[in-house]
Amino acid sequence: SSGWSRCQQGAKPDPVVPVVAALSLSQLPGTASGSQAAPVVLPTPAPLPGGEVPGFTAAPPAAPEEIHPLKEQPANGSGEGHAKHRKAFPVIGIDYTHVRIPFEISLWILLACLMKLGFHVIPSVSSIVPESCLLIVVGLLVGGLIKGVGEKPPILKSDIFFLFLLPPIILDAGYFLPLRPFTENLGTILIFAVVGTLWNAFFLGGLMYAVCQLGGPGLNHIGLLANLLFGSIISAVDPVAVLAVFEEIHINELLHILVFGESLLNDAVTVVLYHLFEEFASFEQVTILDIILGFLSFFVVSLGGVLVGVIYGVIAAFTSRFTSHIRVIEPLFVFLYSYMAYLSAELFHLSGIMALIAAGVVMRPYVEANISHKSHTTIKYFLKMWSSVSETLIFIFLGVSTVAGHHYWNWTFVISTLFFCLIARVLGVLVLTWFINKFRIVKLTPKDQFIIAYGGLRGAIAFSLGYLLDYKHFGMRDMFLTAIITVIFFTVFVQGMTIRPLVDLLAVKKKQETKRSINEEIHTQFLDHLLTGIEDICGHYGHHHWKDKLNRFNKKYVKKCLIAGERSKEPQLIAFYHKMEMKQAIELVESGGIGKIPSAVSTVSIQNINPQTLPLERVLPALSKDKEEEIRKILRTNLQKTRQRLRSYNRHTLVADPYEEAWNQMLLRRQKARQLEQKMNNYLTVPAHKVDSPTMSRARIGSDPLAYEPKEDSENLPIITIDPASPQSPESVDLMSEEPKGCGGLPPSPEEDEEGLVMRVKEPSSPGTDDVFTPGTSDSPSNQRMLRCLSDPGPRPEPEEGEPFIPKGQ
């Protein structure tokens, strides 16, 4: 009050200033309340909106030690000179600017989800029109409504599209990529993605340059580089549009992976051509060196993106080894490492799509072996939800941006672009397929070629790349965007809506709705092993051989580093059994069926302890779909590996079998023995004992081959051994060989002539020897003589009867 009275004695300034001056002067150190020195500075300018007085420097700020938090402060409004606006309710108010950005984002996502829900609620609409077409129509309506009320509709900016909307879709496609059909058709996909995209870009760019030169004064200022840039933008097949259309028509797996794989891998070509022609547009002169470096940059962009993705995928797999105690953050590692791979690739203008695909493919088998089943389910459904929402927003904002953007319509340029896009796609597919079919076992039929050519859809990637163009170097950007939107709308609406009836009309094979049985999967795995062995034998190393090499390297080295605990060593089937056993035991304890269960009791022993308390449904529990899929995966990956040898061989480096010569001698001896048996049946009344079967002889030779080698001192002399225990038994006679007297090199003795037929006791054979081929202890030349039986002289003598029965030397 004293300060306000002093201010009234001098000039009368604005009433706000004396209050500020008085408050500032009252806090000056060493200034008494009755001092008259300071209030002289009254005619000051008006204060700023924040309460500061310009040019007012008489009052320095208060010392920190004099402002105490417990010191009594002035009442509300006294520090500013005026009271704050009093609300009807002190807390409730409207502050839209504070929540504007997250509120509008949430509103757009909610609108997109409601539209997606509404399309599937009405089956008659969703069965005729693809979902992407309906979403674009919704975007057109929303954009027209916003523009009609006088507001400016939002435009799909390239940064938002490439950094936030596109990565979830590509990550979902790369993480759940069907790896087997993708790798089997990788050569075909690369030819379509690289050669086909280059063909489309240069063919379309060259023809559009010719059109611009002949199109009149409105187009002849567009140069060759600008047309080539436009061709590289519009030639790439869009993965978002392909996913949206091909998943609805349920095309067969081969065609789907060919078109979808092309749309994923042509990103590297598109990125290289786009940045290359964009840089060339700012050059005064393009040299041969620039063209060579631009060609080499394709390999740098594509292989660099793959390398970045592999590095982040390995890091993610290694990190998942240590998350067994913190399961809730396992899905977060998958999302963050994948997104970091995409951003790291985009940082160096590499292919972010290739990095995301490589990261998802590399990390998935190791991450799923380390994380829990709940984390796997979270990753699966969150990725599906995220990618679905992003896809819906892309198509809605594409329609909104069409209404909100600036357009320049030129009939000649737009119609020529649409026509040449279709011609280039058809010609490229026909020529490349003719070349590809020369190397494919499963040929691409004319129906397949038509679907591949007709499925080359364009989408939001082309629109975003066109939106990135700079007006400084490309003054015709609006005309380019108009032509790009026209091509997108034609491919999505016309081709997307008519491809389903055309597939039904041409009777193209659809995707198998039911999963393959375990029997089919086992036989498929068996055929892989069989083809790997055939490639090794033939010496022609195909993809089966290299896949087998990669699997061996993965099992021997990589799994031990990236998979935690015993899972890298123990077969997954055993680990899964222990897991199911423990789970069932815990469920039984929680249900109260069994009071206490020992720690190492198996499921069978649990049922034997107290079988009457087990419910019927627990004896044969029904597996859920997730468990069934896990069992299928385990059976696929744990089949018996038939190729376990370390040394491969082919037809040029075959090693001779050491037992082959001995085996041939055994066969010759067997043949002679059979001939001898047939001849001796004419002289003996006792039937001969049958020799061993070839299987038994082969088994004996395999057990001890050296025992069956021909002996040096054996003369193949005849002997008949008869078992005296039962001489009447036909099996007791064992015939080996026969030779008449005098064939052994010794003259026949008169005693033996009087004895007639010599009978020898059959000695038991030692283990591992052959009774047929192994000579006994009584194989001396004197004992190996045989006389013709007098009671059975045999058949009538023939003219050559006087000759020896078995010639010498046989």
Side-chain angles (χ1 to χ4, degrees), residues 317-318 321 365-366 369-370 550-572 633 637-638 641:
F318 185 75
R321 287 192 52 165
Y366 310 108
N370 292 326
L550 186 62
N551 289 335
R552 285 159 129 359
F553 178 79
N554 180 34
K555 183 179 179 181
K556 189 174 182 180
Y557 300 105
V558 182
K559 278 188 175 181
K560 294 179 181 179
C561 299
L562 300 183
I563 297 180
E566 297 296 328
R567 297 183 186 180
S568 59
K569 302 176 182 178
E570 187 182 48
Q572 294 183 10
K633 179 182 176 183
T637 55
N638 287 274
K641 303 297 186 300

Side-chain angles (χ1 to χ4, degrees), residues 671-684:
Q671 185 178 4
K672 294 177 183 178
R674 288 180 178 175
Q675 293 176 357
L676 179 63
E677 180 183 2
Q678 292 176 359
K679 291 185 178 182
M680 285 302 299
N681 284 337
N682 298 328
Y683 298 95
L684 297 179

Side-chain angles (χ1 to χ4, degrees), residues 563-613:
I563 297 180
E566 297 296 328
R567 297 183 186 180
S568 59
K569 302 176 182 178
E570 187 182 48
Q572 294 183 10
L573 194 61
I574 300 175
F576 180 72
Y577 170 74
H578 287 313
K579 180 180 176 182
M580 294 294 294
E581 183 183 39
M582 185 63 66
K583 182 178 179 181
Q584 188 175 10
I586 293 174
E587 289 179 353
L588 290 175
V589 171
E590 291 177 351
S591 62
I594 301 175
K596 292 182 179 181
I597 300 179
S599 58
V601 178
S602 65
T603 310
V604 179
S605 60
I606 289 175
Q607 295 177 0
N608 294 332
I609 291 174
N610 196 0
Q612 66 273 10
T613 58

Side-chain angles (χ1 to χ4, degrees), residues 599-780:
S599 58
V601 178
S602 65
T603 310
V604 179
S605 60
I606 289 175
Q607 295 177 0
N608 294 332
I609 291 174
N610 196 0
Q612 66 273 10
T613 58
L614 290 175
L616 294 178
E617 61 270 15
R618 288 192 177 274
V619 177
L620 295 174
L623 291 176
S624 62
K625 291 184 178 180
D626 296 332
K627 293 299 180 185
E628 183 180 354
E629 181 64 27
E630 191 171 355
I631 292 175
R632 285 173 178 270
K633 179 182 176 183
I634 290 171
L635 289 176
R636 283 197 303 267
T637 55
N638 287 274
L639 291 173
Q640 179 65 32
K641 303 297 186 300
T642 58
R643 184 179 179 274
Q644 294 294 337
R645 62 185 184 279
L646 297 178
R647 201 174 99 196
S648 302
Y649 63 92
N650 55 34
R651 59 184 176 179
H652 305 293
T653 59
L654 288 177
V655 182
D657 191 356
Y659 302 116
E660 184 175 1
E661 185 177 356
W663 175 244
N664 291 334
Q665 294 179 3
M666 292 296 112
L667 290 179
L668 291 175
R669 294 181 65 185
R670 171 62 58 83
Q671 185 178 4
K672 294 177 183 178
R674 288 180 178 175
Q675 293 176 357
L676 179 63
E677 180 183 2
Q678 292 176 359
K679 291 185 178 182
M680 285 302 299
N681 284 337
N682 298 328
Y683 298 95
L684 297 179
T685 56
V686 181
H689 175 61
K690 293 184 178 181
V691 296
D692 287 342
S693 63
T695 306
M696 292 296 299
S697 300
R698 196 182 295 257
R700 291 178 180 181
I701 291 174
S703 62
D704 191 6
L706 299 178
Y708 297 91
E709 291 184 357
K711 303 296 187 297
E712 295 179 357
D713 56 346
S714 64
E715 300 284 341
N716 293 332
L717 299 177
I719 182 171
I720 295 179
T721 57
I722 299 177
D723 190 358
S726 56
Q728 295 81 12
S729 175
E731 281 104 1
S732 63
V733 179
D734 192 0
L735 174 65
M736 281 303 298
S737 58
E738 177 187 55
E739 190 173 5
K741 292 189 293 181
C743 294
L746 295 176
S749 63
E751 297 178 357
E752 290 177 347
D753 293 339
E754 296 176 358
E755 291 178 0
L757 187 67
V758 180
M759 310 296 289
R760 300 295 180 187
V761 180
K762 180 180 179 181
E763 298 180 3
S765 59
S766 61
T769 60
D770 195 342
D771 297 333
V772 179
F773 299 126
T774 307
T777 57
S778 61
D779 295 340
S780 62

Side-chain angles (χ1 to χ4, degrees), residues 504-544:
D504 297 335
L505 181 63
L506 297 175
V508 180
K509 185 180 178 181
K510 296 287 191 71
K511 183 171 63 176
Q512 187 179 3
E513 296 298 335
T514 58
K515 291 184 178 180
R516 292 188 303 176
S517 62
I518 295 292
N519 190 15
E520 292 175 345
E521 293 181 357
I522 290 176
H523 278 78
T524 303
Q525 195 79 6
F526 166 73
L527 287 177
D528 289 342
H529 292 298
L530 182 63
L531 291 173
T532 304
I534 291 174
E535 289 180 356
D536 287 343
I537 293 173
C538 297
H540 173 73
Y541 294 149
H543 69 277
H544 290 92

Side-chain angles (χ1 to χ4, degrees), residues 163-164 167-168 171 175 308-309 311-317 319 323 328-345 355-356 359-360 363 367 379 382-383 386:
L163 297 180
F164 301 106
L171 177 59
Y175 192 81
V308 170
I311 291 174
Y312 276 97
V314 171
I315 295 175
T319 307
T323 58
V328 290
I329 63 173
E330 287 175 341
L332 197 59
F333 280 121
V334 174
F335 304 142
L336 290 179
Y337 276 119
S338 302
Y339 193 53
M340 288 297 296
Y342 180 81
L343 295 179
S344 301
L356 265 183
M363 75 168 64
V367 167
I379 294 172
F382 188 81
L383 274 181
W386 198 7

Side-chain angles (χ1 to χ4, degrees), residues 222-237:
I222 303 177
L224 178 61
L225 281 178
N227 281 288
L228 289 176
L229 176 65
F230 175 73
S232 65
I233 292 174
I234 201 62
S235 61
V237 179

